[in-house]
Amino acid sequence: MGADQAAGEEAPRMVSVAEISRHRSLDDLWLVVDGTVYDLTRFAHEHPGGAAPLLQHAGKDASAAYAEVHSPSLITTLPPSARIGVLDQATLTAEWAATPPSQPPRAQQSTAKPPLETLLNARDFAAAAQSSFSPKAWAFVSSAATDCLTRDRNAATYREIGLRPRVLRDVRDVDLRTRVLGCAVRAPIFCAPTSMGRIFHGQGEREIGRGCQRCGIPQCVSTSASFSLGEVVDAVEEEWGQGKEEGGGKAVPVFFQLYVDKDRRKSEKLLRVVQDRGVKAIFVTVDTPVIGKREADERVKSDESLSAPMSGVQAKNDKKGGSLGRLMGSFIDASLTWDDIAWLRKQVPGLPIVLKGIQTAMDAVKAMEFGVDAIYITNHGGRSLDTSPATILVLLELQKCCPQVFDRMEVYIDGGITRGTDIFKALCLGARAVGIGRGFLFALNYGKEGIEHFVNILTDELATTMQMCGVTSLDQVHPGLVHTGAIDHLVPGSEEHPYARWRPKLRGTSRL
């Protein structure tokens, strides 16, 4: 309707304010979003956030309230019969256009955050987020599974790895460029898939994409993003177009993270969109058949008007609490197996497939045998299974037990990376690139300018580390530049336990 009216079709009906205002009850409910008049009478009883928000704006313009919590494309999925026509702007009155009285206020983001230029490192971004995010937003982003041990160990383990500098090398010029799945990028960093970006910034994942485009690094868009894939890609392309006019470089790749839906047809439909929009690779999450228990997130109630357009899931609260991760991950298929890689290849022929969530050498070898293009070492930032290994220990395990995988697949890693030295250590131990999740959400607090500042801090630190270690390009890094003696005893040497040898079947038989 409206601007989308096809040539030759009947012009959309113009609807006056007076007519719209007459439809203000639960049994007769019209409202306006972005200039289009909708009849939501049938939908009001099914609205996941309850009928109250719709009634609050019945007979009014709900555009601003809608934009706070929903993707712009979501309302366009309503059937054509729900579209009444277009708001007649000539009939507007000041009284009608006034914002309706609000419901009890949500916990909103504070404006008390330091100026962007005063932030000097990744931890400064985290501190600014903690002081300015809403309680729910902070609980969601900072929470981890149960006692948060894995979350903390991810970062702490990097601090136990030393560097072994080389001197008297010509390090005047440093080149951070590399290739990820054949795509040229300016630095070995990408934005890991993150969910519900709109609770941190109104433009959410769209703004992350703009910032990544400015920095020349990839963004991996999550199935649980608060915007549709098309809306994120549109934002990236627009940013690239503006940069191109100003003499900017090539467009950076966009990757897509897939949570496989219990209803495979929904995943298949989503993957068709992925291909149509030019996504360069599929990162299928394999470490989260179910959602981990994130207690900090459970303790703070969710805003039930929040939704994820690609998964179709709506936030809610229940007797267990209000964890956005648990409540909005209910669609994930826990029956996913290695055999489903063939199904995935059939859906996206020609696209590289990355397994996201590898945490042992055994699974890395299996991924290699199944012919995937890359593996992604991650424990979901410690948000899935507490006391699972710190990710850098898994990278060392691969070097110890199955070094051949580095010749057959690209290897990525995330978890606890807050410094350029962390990135350098991961690269020396075989990672092609590192993903960062929470850090990008903290930086999103400042929009695309924050993303750019955050990435520049990390790349500056990485370049300095390389120079101090006597290397000037990423093809010069190697394990001899790091010392892992303090943690080598934590790296398993085989699939077997060192001395406990029983197997469940044998032990169960002995009890019969």
Side-chain angles (χ1 to χ4, degrees), residues 152 163 213 395 436:
D152 297 341
L163 295 174
Q213 174 61 48
L395 190 60
I436 298 175

Side-chain angles (χ1 to χ4, degrees), residues 47 49-57 103:
H47 184 234
L54 299 181
L55 279 171
Q56 181 189 0
H57 296 88
Q103 292 180 314

Side-chain angles (χ1 to χ4, degrees), residues 6 45 47 64 93 108 188 255 277 302 322 339 357 383 451 456 466 491:
H45 299 277
H47 184 234
T93 65
Q108 292 291 332
F255 304 136
R277 291 312 310 255
S302 292
D339 292 336
R383 293 161 73 84
I451 300 293
N456 285 342
M466 290 170 63
V491 181

